[in-house]
Amino acid sequence: MMDILKTKFILLKREPVSFIVITVIICLFAYILGLGQQSKLPIAVYSSLDEKLTETLLLELKKMPDVDYTLYDEEEALKLVEEGDVELAVHLQSNRFDLITSPNFLNAPLFQSEISTIYREVMQNETILNTYPVEQQGNVQSILEDANNNPSFIVEYANFSNDGDFIYDAKLHSLFGFTLFMVIYTIANGVNHIVMERRNYIWSRLIVSSIGKTQIYTANLIYSFLLGYLQVILVLSIFHFGVGVDFYGGFLKTLIAIIPYLLCIVALAIFVASIVNTPGKFNAIIAVIAVPFAMLGGAYWPIDIVTSKIILALSYISPITYGMEILNGVTIYSGSIAELAQPLGILLFMSVVLMGIGINILEKKGQS
């Protein structure tokens, strides 16, 4: 088994182009879409409220990180959106707010949720103040501020994601998303050796040698897993130690928690290898599977902003869905690996099922 592994890595050393290219693609896309947008996103604000309330709302909105809210008159704000100078404008009104977006702006649901929370809190306080005479509003305001700073009790949720409380980190999301997506191709390249070896009768020669069939399977599976794991470690280390991406203290947990996902992708690739006869068909099916899995699993955009029940239902078949949940859980939400038992268990279950079916079909083909 060790001889097979050694031979695989020698071949990788001789032809590392695919491994290097995929690693570079991951780094480029993760940097461009996540870290390449370091400047604050400009957002235009125009208001139908009185000056004092507008100022209060604007101060609260400016507390949002990576966003620059600027007050304009209505005509100028709409013109900025129309000409593409800003992607989003917010119209503040007495009982609602409206978002005016450019056609290509996809993050409106994120801002809708965040602005809604701020707007509701400010307007609630304003309603409370207006129920009191003007001379008492100063004291009421002090009481409200004190209540916000020192609540009587604090509600904490038991699960790592605060019971659906969505937190979005564009840097980590793009890094995790493209890493989970592109590593599929890296692992598939490793498993593709099985298809080529079986087609070229190298597999048959190994079987009649002193090497056991179990050792042959194990060596190929370990090689494919290590190939993907090495790439993940390399990419995440570059962004953590080189670029300075904040993993919220969960860098080492990330490297451990991603293992079940990689095992699932190895099993998926083995299953695909079992139902095709040529390397070309294998690569074609992997490409057809990988892209929809990435879209359904939230690799390109957060799955939390998706409202279609059909898409959300289909997302459960994508390993990337569970991979993203695990990686976000051990970083952004600071959850322990034990708290992520459900997605970890699902990935391991998928691995066992796909691996079992794949190897069984390969064995039947070998006997026929």
Side-chain angles (χ1 to χ4, degrees):
M1 184 179 75
M2 295 305 297
D3 290 334
I4 296 177
L5 272 175
K6 184 178 179 181
T7 301
K8 297 285 186 184
F9 280 106
I10 289 174
L11 292 174
L12 175 64
K13 183 179 179 181
R14 291 178 179 175
E15 298 181 2
V17 177
S18 176
F19 182 85
I20 294 173
V21 167
I22 293 176
T23 303
V24 171
I25 290 174
I26 295 173
C27 293
L28 284 176
F29 274 94
Y31 184 85
I32 292 172
L33 297 181
L35 291 99
Q37 303 174 1
Q38 292 290 341
S39 58
K40 289 188 174 184
L41 177 69
I43 294 180
V45 178
Y46 64 99
S47 176
S48 302
L49 303 172
D50 61 73
E51 184 177 347
K52 182 181 178 181
L53 187 54
T54 299
E55 184 179 350
T56 301
L57 274 166
L58 202 59
L59 287 174
E60 292 299 320
L61 290 173
K62 287 184 176 181
K63 293 179 182 179
M64 293 173 58
D66 302 322
V67 183
D68 182 20
Y69 287 92
T70 305
L71 185 64
Y72 297 94
D73 58 47
E74 181 177 355
E75 183 179 350
E76 188 176 4
L78 295 177
K79 184 178 179 181
L80 288 171
V81 176
E82 183 180 352
E83 294 179 351
D85 294 326
V86 299
E87 300 281 356
L88 177 68
V90 182
H91 180 199
L92 301 176
Q93 303 170 64
S94 58
N95 57 356
R96 53 181 280 185
F97 66 89
D98 293 328
L99 299 183
I100 298 90
T101 69
S102 64
N104 298 322
F105 188 67
L106 301 178
N107 291 330
L110 293 176
F111 288 95
Q112 174 81 23
S113 176
E114 294 180 350
I115 297 173
S116 178
T117 300
I118 295 172
Y119 182 87
R120 185 171 57 251
E121 291 178 355
V122 172
M123 297 307 291
Q124 184 180 29
N125 288 344
E126 185 67 16
T127 301
I128 294 173
L129 286 175
N130 290 335
T131 59
Y132 290 88
V134 176
E135 60 272 11
Q136 296 181 16
Q137 289 183 3
N139 293 331
V140 174
Q141 180 66 40
S142 300
I143 294 172
L144 290 174
E145 291 176 357
D146 185 62
N148 289 329
N149 296 330
N150 303 288
S152 300
F153 59 90
I154 300 175
V155 178
E156 294 184 355
Y157 298 99
N159 66 330
F160 71 90
S161 60
N162 289 335
D163 199 23
D165 199 17
F166 176 51
I167 304 174
Y168 179 62
D169 187 319
K171 300 174 186 178
L172 276 182
H173 185 87
S174 62
L175 176 58
F176 290 157
F178 278 97
T179 300
L180 296 183
F181 170 44
M182 295 302 295
V183 79
I184 295 177
Y185 295 102
T186 300
I187 292 175
N189 286 338
V191 175
N192 199 20
H193 288 176
I194 295 178
V195 181
M196 291 186 291
E197 289 170 0
R198 292 177 70 91
R199 185 172 178 80
N200 296 329
Y201 301 103
I202 297 174
W203 194 270
S204 300
R205 297 172 193 171
L206 289 172
I207 291 175
V208 298
S209 68
S210 59
I211 304 175
K213 191 178 294 186
T214 303
Q215 291 179 308
I216 299 173
Y217 276 117
T218 304
N220 278 278
L221 297 179
I222 290 176
Y223 169 73
S224 300
F225 170 79
L226 291 178
L227 192 64
Y229 197 40
L230 177 63
Q231 186 172 72
V232 169
I233 292 174
L234 181 61
V235 170
L236 297 185
S237 296
I238 289 173
F239 280 88
H240 180 56
F241 298 108
V243 183
V245 171
D246 183 11
F247 280 72
Y248 301 88
F251 178 72
L252 293 179
K253 287 195 293 184
T254 300
L255 298 182
I256 297 172
I258 202 173
I259 290 175
Y261 172 80
L262 297 176
L263 291 174
C264 184
I265 298 304
V266 172
L268 175 65
I270 287 291
F271 174 75
V272 174
S274 70
I275 60 177
V276 300
N277 298 318
T278 65
K281 291 181 180 178
F282 175 83
N283 290 329
I285 293 178
I286 288 294
V288 169
I289 291 175
V291 175
F293 273 5
M295 297 176 68
L296 292 172
Y300 302 146
W301 50 76
I303 196 68
D304 304 76
I305 69 173
V306 177
T307 57
S308 170
K309 292 183 179 180
I310 296 176
I311 298 299
L312 291 173
L314 290 173
S315 70
Y316 291 114
I317 68 174
S318 172
I320 293 180
T321 300
Y322 307 105
M324 292 295 291
E325 183 177 348
I326 291 168
L327 296 184
N328 286 327
V330 298
T331 54
I332 296 175
Y333 297 106
S334 302
S336 66
I337 294 178
E339 292 175 302
L340 299 166
Q342 183 179 4
L344 288 170
I346 292 173
L347 286 176
L348 291 174
F349 174 76
M350 294 172 70
S351 302
V352 172
V353 172
L354 291 171
M355 187 74 71
I357 295 174
I359 292 178
N360 187 265
I361 295 175
L362 285 172
E363 283 300 292
K364 287 183 178 180
K365 281 187 175 180
Q367 294 171 4
S368 59

